Amino acid sequence: FDDPEVAVVGLFALADSRLSQIGKAVAAGKHIIAEKPIADSVEREWQAVSLVEKAPLFSTVNLYLRNSWYHNTIKEFISSGEIGELAIIRVCHMTPGLAPGEGHEYEGPAFHDWWLQCHGTFENGVVFDITQGHVYGQLSAKQTHNSYVDIVGTKGIARMTHDFKTAVVELHGVTQTHRIERPYGGKNIDVLCERFAQSIESGRRCEELPRFRDAAVASEYAWKFIHDARTHDLPAIGDLRTLQQ
């Protein structure tokens, strides 16, 4: 923070350190690239948003889908009007992982001790359906994944599947049909850093860069979802013998 030759700091430690580090960065006049979440509670996340929005600095968050080729390809196809009016967004991310009681890794107990299924309607009327968990066939002889985005419009569809190695995008529009298969690309940190560097050098923020506010809103809804899940009876299927296996 004290090095005058450092223009940007990357804040990637655990979330409970993030707000204090953001405060130090702003005080030192450093641009910020932060991991998500930007603090360890919704209240402190909004404090972080307030800090950076008052500062004459660039800041962004590693909401990595924003930097992925498949996400942006689908966004452009929707914007072109090929699927008509956006109606339904279905997201599934089910992978094998640690069994309940084995540990939680960085995602926490919400995704390792049970699966979450959330559905509702955005303020603009678009319906969403989200399924997430690390409980997908842990005892399978050959483990697999089920990760996809399925976007339904009034006239067409756009969808993506991946296996963490290859991503496949299928676009079925009113005048165009495409199937695109390319490397998944991981977290795309290189794209994030390149866009951030261009913003600093040009003095104009790259519009594709996620903002702290985006991360706070996303986190706020995630907390709402998990709170809602915890206030209802959760399904418990299986027995202790299977769990021990």
Side-chain angles (χ1 to χ4, degrees):
F1 294 107
D2 296 330
D3 189 340
E5 295 185 4
V6 172
V8 182
V9 292
L11 309 179
F12 308 115
L14 294 179
D16 59 2
S17 68
R18 203 98 70 222
L19 180 58
S20 63
Q21 289 182 332
I22 291 167
K24 287 181 182 178
V26 169
K30 307 297 185 187
H31 304 291
I32 303 168
I33 299 176
E35 187 52 85
K36 61 183 186 302
I38 53 174
D40 57 349
S41 73
V42 172
E43 181 184 8
R44 285 189 281 275
E45 285 184 279
W46 284 110
Q47 289 175 25
V49 171
S50 180
L51 273 174
V52 300
E53 288 189 349
K54 291 176 183 175
L57 301 164
F58 290 121
S59 58
T60 193
V61 187
N62 177 30
L63 301 180
Y64 71 90
L65 285 179
R66 301 282 189 91
N67 304 306
S68 65
W69 71 267
Y70 46 86
H71 180 81
N72 288 302
T73 297
I74 290 172
K75 278 184 65 178
E76 290 168 7
F77 196 68
I78 294 169
S79 296
S80 73
E82 280 289 321
I83 71 168
E85 188 177 354
L86 180 61
I88 303 168
I89 299 176
R90 301 176 62 234
V91 180
C92 177
H93 186 76
M94 297 290 281
T95 64
L98 298 175
E102 274 194 300
H104 298 140
E105 295 185 327
Y106 296 114
E107 295 89 357
F111 300 123
H112 286 279
D113 285 359
W114 66 83
W115 59 272
L116 290 180
Q117 205 284 329
C118 308
H119 51 88
T121 309
F122 290 115
E123 291 177 359
N124 62 2
V126 173
V127 173
F128 66 85
D129 177 346
I130 303 169
T131 303
Q132 162 77 50
H134 294 264
V135 293
Y136 198 66
Q138 292 101 325
L139 294 181
S140 302
K142 186 176 181 180
Q143 292 185 340
T144 187
H145 311 276
N146 187 18
S147 296
Y148 66 78
V149 176
D150 187 16
I151 298 175
V152 184
T154 55
K155 298 179 180 178
I157 61 170
R159 62 192 182 202
M160 182 277 292
T161 60
H162 76 81
D163 60 3
F164 295 98
K165 296 177 182 177
T166 303
V168 178
V169 170
E170 295 179 294
L171 306 172
H172 294 262
V174 289
T175 67
Q176 302 176 45
T177 303
H178 303 285
R179 185 183 188 278
I180 308 165
E181 184 173 326
R182 286 171 51 186
Y184 174 61
K187 299 288 187 180
N188 301 290
I189 299 295
D190 56 335
V191 177
L192 178 70
C193 291
E194 179 68 24
R195 288 174 174 168
F196 204 67
Q198 290 173 355
S199 297
I200 293 170
E201 289 178 349
S202 68
R204 287 169 29 199
R205 181 188 179 86
C206 177
E207 284 303 314
E208 285 81 7
L209 287 171
R211 298 177 183 271
F212 270 37
R213 180 172 290 272
D214 298 331
V217 169
S219 185
E220 194 168 53
Y221 275 95
W223 279 108
K224 285 180 180 179
F225 291 161
I226 192 170
H227 174 73
D228 185 70
R230 288 174 64 91
T231 58
H232 295 80
D233 288 335
L234 298 172
I237 299 171
D239 55 35
L240 289 177
R241 183 178 298 174
T242 302
L243 186 59
Q244 287 165 358
Q245 286 180 302

